[in-house]
Amino acid sequence: MSVHDLVQRHASATPGAIAVAAGEVKLTYGELESRANELASLLRSHGVAADVPVAVCMRRSPELVVAALGILKAGGAYVPLDPTHPAGRFSMLLDDSGTTVVLSQPDVAERLPSGKWRTIFLDKNGRVASKADPPASAAGQASAHPDNLAYIIFTSGSTGRPKGVQITHGNLLNLISWHTRAFEITAADKATLHASPGFDASVWELWPYLAAGASVHVVPEDIRTTPEQLRDWIVSTGITITFLSTAMAESMIDLPWPAGTALRFLLTGADTLRRYSWPDLPFTFVNNYGPTECSVVATSGAVPVAVDTEALPPIGRPIDNAQAYVVDEHMNCLPAGEPGELLIGGAGVGRGYLNLPELTSQKFVPDPFSKAKGARLYRTGDLACILPDGQIAFLGRMDEQIKIRGYRIEPGEITAVLDRHPTVESSFVTALSEYSNEKRLVAYVVPRKNFPLSANELRHFLGQELHDYMVPSTFVRIEALPISPSGKVDRAALPRPTPENILDDAPFEEPQSQVESWLATFLVGLLGVPRVSRDDNFFNLGGHSLMGAQLIAKVQQTFDVELSLRRLFDHPTVREISAEIERLIQAKLDAMSEEEAQRILESAPNGISV
């Protein structure tokens, strides 16, 4: 039995039921099955078989689902790539995966570099769009052994290169089986596809629902990071279960929810949850934990209602057929309350890292607590303890790995690229949250002698190979990295970022207008930075789309005008954002009578005028 066998079962029983929907585009189970079979036949003609990787570089869409299912039916393993990756990273991932075929969309494929791979396009209905590759006739799907690969997902690597995590059909089926039971999934459920394609949560958002005959609804891109609009869409669409990253989920549970909403479960994970549930939420709020290496989810538990404690919400208990151990440095299990490294065992532990046998042997170790032949444990590198009630408390990382907004980041991967820049002698990257709870990447850079450093140039250089969430928001110039007696960088001796040592390409300029002053003050608190210049870029300061949604909401609340996220991306400096706010205010005033306009101006904060 495999995931594509389960999907085929529903396609035969209820071919007219909706499988995937994105706006007006809807694929029934019959259409999904037919198009995936056609694609599988074509892929087999290109040599795709068991354990053969096939890259998928697509936006969240119905054709993405057709592509992944078609690869599984052909017997291959799909390798999802985020279409927003920079070109240099695409080349690295495609080379490392060894893929000879890439499935993409015509408007996305133009970002892909050329190479030894063949690109096949799918249209918005999931049909092969490449003229050179007419759809083959439908054929039976390949059988899959539990030990065959289902997918490979790349995560950040400490060596300077991403590492491909290999997950088998057996691993995936355990996730599906547990999820279906734990959340009582039926064909009547409506789920969401919210995560980026290259994020392992997207695996979880697809297969448990398609295996149960439920429908998956692609969250519209323009509301994906705006909590209020996302809530309204969830309610109006009748979504019954959704996964949202930790930061977004924390925003969503603070919103008022209408009575009678169909939502049963809001699942979260990928970062440290700092909020408890509320007694009046009309759905169950569930926290989940799991490294990519352990098939997305290893532990899970309903978040209790807010309690008077400074402790963070627990990460639950192991899911079905999973084991969790907290051990000391000698691999001895520790009693409840004692902190140690968290090890995960059981049916979700993946095959290992692609083409990295030494790293695989270090992280995937024999399980001394199991009698099963070949049983292994994954060493998470996470610090945890077992609570008295059997739940697990996450306490942080034991190594240098960082998690920001759910993304797993190895600082070594960033410094490996940064040190290649001709003006950089050496560097060190870490995460700081000095001014707020929001962690941000900070790069300490030692310049080469007689070479000028440019923050914008370093950002651009990193952006050629790294995703935007891996580009530091702050660069600190330092004459030499402090070294501890053990030969490592002495973190405690690193200077805190200050206006004097932060690398800035332009001199600080005080905000000029009243709107600029208001905005700069607000951004200091939102972004957790000591000060904001009028030419500072919102995103270079550490802002991201979720923070952008918070900024937009504050502008709406303060000025009663609607700043769009698109305009924020296109005009991200304080000067430009303020000018846009002033333009919107003026347009609104122009449409009013003099009396109405005067009342609006008198109620503006701090006497702001335009």
Side-chain angles (χ1 to χ4, degrees):
M1 182 62 67
S2 63
V3 62
H4 46 280
D5 291 327
L6 296 172
V7 176
Q8 183 184 49
R9 193 180 281 178
H10 292 290
S12 299
T14 56
I18 299 298
V20 190
E24 297 302 313
V25 179
K26 295 178 174 63
L27 287 184
T28 65
Y29 271 89
E31 291 167 335
L32 174 62
E33 179 73 7
S34 172
R35 289 164 201 184
N37 277 334
E38 290 178 355
L39 178 59
S41 177
L42 177 61
L43 292 174
R44 283 196 290 271
S45 73
H46 287 299
V48 176
D51 287 1
V52 172
V54 179
V56 180
C57 185
M58 294 183 176
R59 297 182 307 275
R60 295 170 305 108
S61 58
E63 53 267 42
L64 169 68
V65 183
V66 172
L69 183 59
I71 294 167
L72 294 177
K73 283 175 170 287
Y78 73 97
V79 185
L81 304 179
D82 190 326
T84 63
H85 278 320
R89 193 168 182 85
F90 278 133
S91 294
M92 188 185 303
L93 298 183
L94 290 169
D95 282 336
D96 284 358
S97 68
T99 186
T100 58
V101 178
V102 179
L103 302 181
S104 190
Q105 296 153 312
D107 59 331
V108 171
E110 61 189 26
R111 294 177 48 81
L112 291 170
S114 57
K116 56 188 178 183
W117 43 82
R118 181 188 190 94
T119 303
I120 297 173
F121 303 119
L122 299 188
D123 64 22
K124 66 179 183 179
N125 294 310
R127 293 195 178 279
V128 175
S130 308
K131 293 181 180 178
D133 284 309
S137 58
Q141 60 193 25
S143 59
H145 188 275
D147 291 335
N148 289 148
L149 289 180
Y151 65 88
I152 301 169
I153 284 187
F154 281 87
T155 67
S156 185
S158 58
T159 60
R161 292 185 72 87
K163 50 186 185 286
V165 179
Q166 303 175 97
I167 300 297
T168 68
H169 279 272
N171 299 147
L172 180 55
L173 282 173
N174 189 70
L175 175 73
I176 291 170
S177 176
W178 160 75
H179 184 92
T180 304
R181 180 199 62 77
F183 303 111
E184 300 177 338
I185 305 303
T186 71
D189 276 302
K190 292 183 175 182
T192 59
L193 179 56
H194 182 272
S196 300
F199 187 26
D200 67 347
S202 63
V203 172
W204 192 23
E205 291 182 291
L206 285 179
W207 302 121
Y209 306 110
L210 296 177
S215 58
V216 175
H217 297 256
V218 179
V219 178
E221 189 63 35
D222 59 344
I223 68 165
R224 192 166 156 260
T225 58
T226 308
E228 292 85 356
Q229 294 183 31
L230 178 58
R231 174 204 57 196
D232 294 345
W233 177 85
I234 286 173
V235 172
S236 64
T237 308
I239 299 300
T240 59
I241 183 166
T242 185
F243 168 83
L244 299 173
S245 62
T246 307
M248 178 59 80
E250 289 178 335
S251 297
M252 295 289 279
I253 65 169
D254 284 341
L255 298 177
W257 287 81
T261 178
L263 190 65
R264 299 189 296 118
F265 292 100
L266 193 163
L267 314 176
T268 193
D271 210 343
T272 304
L273 181 66
R274 300 182 182 278
R275 304 291 300 280
Y276 284 82
S277 187
W278 298 109
D280 56 349
L281 284 179
F283 49 79
T284 302
F285 186 36
V286 183
N287 195 20
N288 303 272
Y289 163 89
T292 303
E293 290 84 348
C294 297
S295 310
V296 190
V297 183
T299 70
S300 179
V303 180
V305 172
V307 291
D308 185 18
T309 177
E310 294 184 0
L312 297 174
I315 57 175
R317 295 178 174 83
I319 69 169
D320 296 350
N321 304 311
Q323 296 86 45
Y325 306 97
V326 174
V327 302
D328 62 18
E329 63 271 24
H330 304 297
M331 294 282 285
N332 297 313
C333 284
L334 294 168
E338 288 290 322
E341 183 180 7
L342 179 59
L343 308 185
I344 302 295
V349 178
R351 183 187 290 184
Y353 299 117
L354 182 67
N355 302 324
L356 294 172
E358 186 175 339
L359 183 60
T360 297
S361 65
Q362 291 172 7
K363 298 292 286 184
F364 295 80
V365 299
D367 184 351
F369 312 114
S370 173
K371 295 179 181 179
K373 183 179 179 181
R376 295 173 307 148
L377 295 172
Y378 174 68
R379 303 193 64 162
T380 68
D382 289 332
L383 191 67
C385 73
I386 306 295
L387 298 173
D389 65 357
Q391 295 203 77
I392 300 169
F394 175 81
L395 304 176
R397 288 291 301 173
M398 298 180 67
D399 55 20
E400 295 181 351
Q401 190 184 99
I402 297 166
K403 268 198 174 181
I404 293 182
R405 304 194 308 279
Y407 295 104
R408 200 166 89 179
I409 299 170
E410 294 281 4
E413 186 175 353
I414 304 171
T415 58
V417 178
L418 195 54
D419 288 350
R420 295 205 302 267
H421 193 276
T423 68
V424 175
E425 178 66 36
S426 60
S427 64
F428 182 79
V429 175
T430 188
L432 297 178
S433 53
E434 182 175 6
Y435 300 99
S436 69
N437 289 329
E438 181 79 20
K439 287 185 292 186
R440 65 191 64 251
L441 287 176
V442 176
Y444 290 86
V445 183
V446 178
R448 288 188 183 275
K449 191 174 181 181
N450 301 323
F451 277 87
L453 287 174
S454 163
N456 286 339
E457 168 59 26
L458 294 178
R459 286 192 186 96
H460 177 75
F461 184 75
L462 291 172
Q464 301 305 300
E465 290 191 29
L466 304 178
H467 207 293
D468 56 0
Y469 63 78
M470 298 179 71
V471 177
S473 60
T474 302
F475 293 84
V476 175
R477 181 189 176 104
I478 188 171
E479 294 308 311
L481 293 174
I483 305 299
S484 68
S486 65
K488 296 184 177 181
V489 172
D490 186 350
R491 295 167 177 267
L494 288 168
R496 310 305 294 177
T498 65
E500 290 69 38
N501 63 21
I502 291 176
L503 192 60
D504 200 345
D505 294 331
F508 178 81
E509 189 174 350
E510 291 283 353
Q512 301 296 311
S513 72
Q514 291 170 310
V515 174
E516 284 183 11
S517 296
W518 173 88
L519 181 60
T521 300
F522 175 70
L523 292 182
V524 165
L526 177 66
L527 300 171
V529 292
R531 65 180 186 177
V532 174
S533 172
R534 70 192 304 244
D535 287 313
D536 278 342
N537 184 302
F538 172 77
F539 298 102
N540 289 347
L541 289 172
H544 48 76
S545 53
L546 183 56
M547 282 186 168
Q550 293 176 263
L551 169 59
I552 289 168
K554 188 64 174 178
V555 169
Q556 171 74 38
Q557 176 189 351
T558 305
F559 301 106
D560 197 24
V561 295
E562 230 174 277
L563 177 69
S564 73
L565 192 58
R566 181 71 268 162
R567 294 289 291 181
L568 181 60
F569 274 104
D570 292 341
H571 305 282
T573 68
V574 169
R575 185 199 301 258
E576 292 169 328
I577 298 169
S578 299
E580 177 64 8
I581 293 172
E582 291 170 358
R583 184 189 69 77
L584 292 169
I585 294 173
Q586 189 61 61
K588 184 169 184 175
L589 293 174
D590 289 345
M592 295 179 175
S593 67
E594 278 192 37
E595 294 79 8
E596 289 175 318
Q598 187 60 37
R599 281 199 301 272
I600 293 294
L601 289 173
E602 288 173 355
S603 64
N606 301 321
I608 288 177
S609 61
V610 292

